[in-house]
Each structure stands twice: as structure tokens, then as C-alpha cells.
Amino acid sequence: MASSNNTTTPPKVLTVENMNPNIREMEYAVRGRLAIRAEELRDELAQGATNLPFNKVVSCNIGNPQQLNQKPITFFRQVVSLCENPDLLEPEKESIVSQLYPIDAIQRARQILKDIGASIGAYSHSQGVPALRKSVANFIAERDGYPADPNSLYLTQGASAGVQNILSILTQNEKTGILIPIPQYPLYSATLTLLGATPVPYYLDEESGWSLDVEEIRKTVHEARSKGTDVRALVIINPGNPTGQCLEASNMQDILTFCHEERLLLMADEVYQTNIYEPEQRPFVSFKKALMEHPQRDTIELVSFHSISKGMIGECGRRGGYFECCNLDKGVTEQLYKMASVSLCPNVSGQIMTALMVTPPKQGDPSYELYQKEMTGLYESLRRRSKKLEAVFNAMEGVTCQPAMGSMYLFPRIRLPEKALAKAAELNQKPDAFYCDQMLEATGVCVVPGSGFAQKDGTWHFRSTFLPEENLFDEFCGHLKDFHANFMAKYK
């Protein structure tokens, strides 16, 4: 009689070989191999490891301010906590609750819950709560001096979800081309790989502060189109990530004219718009404002993005943001709404934080003084840290670093000795990845190799945030200087 025990394990239905090949090919360096190794080291330290040359892991690979102990904005957290606990807003509890919360936080929470009309645990409108979208529209109008339509706004799970939606709707087939800056934030290349679209890289000029040359981009467009690529959109990250540059208003007008002439939709990633460190020299101007001051303001198609994850707010984990559509085809906007409705709605907690970001306490409100103190303190601290780290990088042998006019990153160029290049080749690593790997193992500092963002051939970089706490910043900078000196001495 045959045995009923069958010890042969059947093959898996889903394998790496038969999965979606686009996902297999997709890469996202910000959360790549180095970030995974950093988490392993963090776990070793948590378990009491004493054999490492550092006592903490510092995650400078991602713009995640609160992971590095940036304090949340008090008023925003007060309002959100009251929205999460509506029983605290009952009139009979006000005498007690008002001893813990300022009256404007209590009033704001009541208004938000009234606007939502149900529990924040319920689905909202697929574009986001109408009243919260109206708050965003008012913010845009006040920022730019031109009106915004709440019906042209989509609240999203962070700016990334909005970017992915727009890239999805742009992609018709594998010939669809999207112009992306080099260096670029890997969200764009990863999403285009996932969609099967074609990234069309254009290069920023490092020597002139990562500037953008419209005529060079035009050549790139014509070359790509001559090879059969249907170039449809231009991505601009302003302020830049990973490069930190901030566009001049005149350059923005040239870009809009270029988009009109070449029939390109413009995607403006503006999530770092409050991270501007030379506002007198290079203030932030939104592409919406630039569009409204352009002769073709009624025809150029623009989608712009903002987020609660950056700025002085840094509420990355709440996943909130928005995008605004200008001059899109009516049929396309209907399809966008269909896409949004498939996901039912963006998370309501993120929607609330987005509305708070654009409607902070006003002068005369009980919370205004503390809000201003917190925002100004964070801003000035980020500015100081940016300048200090830039100076540290520029003092290192073989390193040059452009200043961060905006965002929360520096992107230094490293010139490595031949022995280091040979060692990297021996390990089958790109030279900047080898350098960053050695930095992590020696200091506990996790950064991202420039090759994860793409870069000009023959150059090597890395991206680092300047988010470590200011009271520990000198120590952090000292570790980087010591590592680099030792690395260069070892491989000379």
C-alpha cells in the first residue's frame, strides 16, 4: 500500500522568475541595501553588541525628520489628538480639557470634525474632505495671489501617491517618455520602471549650482523623439532633491515657454517649498504662480505637489499631501477621479494634518506665539546645520559640495583614489556605494550613494541629510571627517 505521506514540497506558484518583471527591475536606493544594513546594525546595538566602532546608527539616507528626534509642532499635534478623541470635546468636559489644551486648538478640532461630518474613522470623499480641500485652495491663493479651485485639488497619501497617479495616467505604453532630472529622486525612475514607461534623463549642471539649461533639455527631447519615444511630460523638483537648488523666477518662465512649445505637461514637485535657506537671494516661487504670470497660462498643463513630510513639520508617517491640476483635459480629470475612487479615499488623519499645515495659528491666536517660536527655531537650526555640513564636506580632501539653497540634503562630489576604485571593482560595487558602505561600517552613519540617484558618468557623489540633532551635530560632523581622512589615507 502506497504511503500517504508525501514529503516533496510543491513548487511555489509565485516566484522571482515568474513575478511582474517590472517590479523585479525596479530600484529605490533610499531604502536599498545600505538602509537594510543600517537596520541590521541598529538591531545589533539594541541587543547589546559591543564590537562595533559606534554606539548609534544615524539615518541620513532619508528626509525623515522625526526619526532623528525633530520635535513635532505642538498646535498640530494638539488638534489631531482632539480629533482622535472627540469625547474630549464634549461641552461638559471643556473646563478640564481647557487646562491641557489652548482654546484655539479645541475650537479648531471642533470645526474640523464638523467639516468632516462623521468620525475620522469613516471614508471621506475620494478627493479628500471638501472643506479641507477648500483650506488648501485658500492657502494656494494666499501664497500665489491667484485663485485655486478646490475641485482641481486631490488630497493624497503624501506627495508620492500623487506623483504615482499622474505618472500612471500619463503612461500609454512603453514608448511613453517622461523627462526626469539627473540627479533625481528615485521615486520617479522606480515608478516609471514599474509602469513600463521610458525615463528620459536631462542633466543638471553641478558647476553652476545644479542649474537647468532649457536648450539642453530641448535637444534631449528632440533626440528622444527622433528615436520613437513619445515624450509627454517634464518633471521639475524645486527645491531640488538631492541637489538642493532653487529655481529663479526667470528660469521658471523659460521652462513654461519650453513646455508650451514642446507640448509637455509639467510636473512640479514642490514638497520642500518652506525649506528655503537663502530667501533674500533665491526665494521660492511656485510654478502655479509662474504659470499665472505666463502668456500661455490658459493652455500649459501643470500638476504641482506638496506634502506634510518636509518643511518644519516633518510628519512623514502620517502620509499627507496634495496635488493641484491646472489646464488638464476634462476627460482626464474624470479618469483621475476614477483612479482616486478605486482607493476610496486618502487617510483622514493625513488630510487633517495637510489642512493644519496650510492653516496654522494666526497672529492674535493663543497658540500663535508658541507656533512661531517652534517653526522659526526649527528653520534657523536647519539653516545652521546646512551651512555647517557644507563647510565640513568642502574641507575634506577631494570633496566639493554645492550649497543647499533649499530642501534638506547636501550632495557632495567625492574624488576617490585609484586604489579605492580598484577595491570597489574587486567587490563588484560602484565606487560611491563602496565609500558609503565603508562609512556606515565605520561610523554608523547611513547615506545614499549618488549612483542611486543617477549622476554624470565618471563622477561620484552621495546624498546626506543635515537632520541629526543640533546638540549632537559637531560629534556627527567629527565622525564624518575622521572617516574620510582614514579612508583617503588607506587607499592612497
Side-chain angles (χ1 to χ4, degrees):
M1 183 176 178
S3 171
S4 60
N5 294 327
N6 186 350
T7 59
T8 303
T9 303
K12 300 293 185 184
V13 173
L14 178 64
T15 68
V16 172
E17 288 72 29
N18 69 18
M19 67 180 282
N20 183 331
N22 291 343
I23 295 177
R24 192 170 58 235
E25 294 300 316
M26 183 173 63
E27 294 183 357
Y28 187 67
V30 172
R31 288 286 181 97
R33 185 186 61 80
L34 275 167
I36 293 169
R37 175 59 180 154
E39 289 304 316
E40 292 173 352
L41 291 169
R42 187 175 278 117
D43 289 343
E44 289 180 31
L45 289 170
Q47 293 165 17
T50 58
N51 61 332
L52 298 174
F54 48 85
N55 57 19
K56 66 184 296 186
V57 172
V58 182
S59 297
C60 290
N61 59 304
I62 190 167
N64 193 12
Q66 292 185 26
Q67 183 187 42
L68 293 170
N69 298 320
Q70 179 172 302
K71 186 179 180 294
I73 301 301
T74 301
F75 177 77
F76 295 167
R77 286 296 184 92
Q78 288 171 334
V79 175
V80 168
S81 70
L82 289 167
C83 290
E84 293 282 356
N85 297 277
D87 287 350
L88 297 176
L89 298 172
E90 295 295 332
E92 64 270 17
K93 296 178 182 176
E94 185 167 323
S95 61
I96 298 173
V97 174
S98 61
Q99 296 177 46
L100 299 171
Y101 293 86
I103 189 63
D104 55 339
I106 294 171
Q107 291 169 345
R108 181 69 69 85
R110 284 176 175 156
Q111 184 60 52
I112 287 172
L113 291 178
K114 181 180 177 182
D115 291 339
I116 291 172
S119 165
I120 66 171
Y123 292 132
S124 75
H125 188 286
S126 293
Q127 282 181 250
V129 175
L132 303 187
R133 280 188 280 127
K134 187 174 181 180
S135 294
V136 174
N138 291 340
F139 158 77
I140 294 171
E142 186 175 340
R143 181 194 66 190
D144 297 337
Y146 299 96
D149 180 2
N151 292 322
S152 295
L153 289 163
Y154 285 76
L155 303 186
T156 54
Q157 307 262 97
S160 298
V163 167
Q164 290 164 335
N165 280 350
I166 297 302
L167 290 176
S168 295
I169 207 164
L170 276 164
T171 300
Q172 184 176 14
N173 52 44
E174 70 280 357
K175 292 185 178 181
T176 299
I178 309 295
L179 286 154
I180 61 173
I182 300 299
Q184 56 99 26
Y185 178 48
L187 165 68
Y188 292 93
S189 55
T191 303
L192 292 173
T193 299
L194 178 63
L195 295 170
T198 301
V200 181
Y202 67 91
Y203 286 84
L204 305 178
D205 181 42
E206 182 172 8
E207 300 306 319
S208 58
W210 299 110
S211 64
L212 180 157
D213 186 329
V214 167
E215 291 311 311
E216 287 300 315
I217 305 178
R218 194 186 305 275
K219 292 177 186 175
T220 299
V221 170
H222 292 174
E223 182 180 355
R225 285 175 173 166
S226 71
K227 295 177 180 178
T229 301
D230 176 18
V231 185
R232 293 185 168 191
L234 168 65
V235 172
I236 299 283
I237 307 175
N238 183 48
N241 176 12
T243 48
Q245 85 283 5
C246 188
L247 291 173
E248 293 180 334
S250 58
N251 197 192
M252 297 171 73
Q253 290 297 315
D254 292 341
I255 291 166
L256 287 165
T257 298
F258 166 73
C259 288
H260 172 68
E261 291 172 348
E262 298 295 339
R263 294 188 51 76
L264 296 169
L265 181 146
L266 177 58
M267 296 177 64
D269 182 334
E270 299 175 337
V271 301
Y272 296 100
Q273 60 187 260
T274 57
N275 295 100
I276 300 294
Y277 304 119
E278 301 293 343
E280 297 82 13
Q281 177 184 350
R282 195 67 61 82
F284 171 77
V285 178
S286 75
F287 264 105
K288 168 66 178 297
K289 178 178 174 63
L291 173 65
M292 297 307 293
E293 295 171 356
H294 191 277
Q296 299 296 331
R297 59 182 166 270
D298 295 325
T299 59
I300 299 170
E301 294 156 74
L302 168 69
V303 184
S304 51
F305 306 86
H306 195 13
S307 168
I308 64 173
S309 298
K310 310 305 177 185
M312 272 48 73
I313 301 172
E315 293 281 3
C316 304
R318 290 186 184 274
R319 311 310 299 134
Y322 70 81
F323 65 84
E324 181 188 18
C325 303
C326 297
N327 298 326
L328 295 196
D329 179 81
K330 184 175 183 296
V332 169
T333 61
E334 291 170 353
Q335 296 301 313
L336 268 177
Y337 179 78
K338 180 173 71 176
M339 289 179 70
S341 66
V342 169
S343 299
L344 297 173
C345 74
N347 82 79
V348 177
S349 180
Q351 293 186 52
I352 291 171
M353 188 61 73
T354 302
L356 290 169
M357 173 182 71
V358 300
T359 55
K362 295 180 179 178
Q363 192 164 7
D365 291 347
S367 296
Y368 177 77
E369 186 175 341
L370 177 59
Y371 170 79
Q372 282 295 109
K373 179 181 178 182
E374 291 176 336
M375 292 289 283
T376 302
L378 285 169
Y379 171 78
E380 293 296 344
S381 176
L382 282 169
R383 192 176 186 183
R384 286 191 297 270
R385 284 177 275 169
S386 162
K387 299 300 180 187
K388 182 173 285 189
L389 190 57
E390 176 197 338
V392 166
F393 287 148
N394 278 317
M396 291 177 175
E397 180 185 357
V399 177
T400 54
C401 184
Q402 295 289 337
M405 306 296 284
S407 78
M408 49 182 64
Y409 314 101
L410 289 167
F411 197 64
R413 179 178 176 181
I414 50 176
R415 296 161 182 83
L416 301 176
E418 287 299 325
K419 284 176 65 177
L421 300 179
K423 185 64 176 178
E426 178 187 327
L427 297 172
N428 197 29
Q429 287 185 292
K430 292 183 178 177
D432 51 3
F434 171 64
Y435 178 89
C436 295
D437 186 59
Q438 296 298 299
M439 180 193 295
L440 175 61
E441 298 294 338
T443 67
V445 175
C446 181
V447 296
V448 188
S451 47
F453 300 92
Q455 54 199 339
K456 187 177 178 181
D457 287 346
T459 67
W460 308 107
H461 301 76
F462 65 89
R463 188 191 79 168
S464 175
T465 71
F466 38 86
L467 294 175
E469 298 163 82
E470 191 160 19
N471 64 316
L472 302 174
F473 208 72
D474 287 340
E475 178 185 357
F476 162 72
C477 291
H479 290 326
L480 295 181
K481 287 190 286 188
D482 291 345
F483 160 73
H484 185 78
N486 292 335
F487 183 93
M488 297 298 282
K490 180 178 179 179
Y491 289 103
K492 270 190 173 178

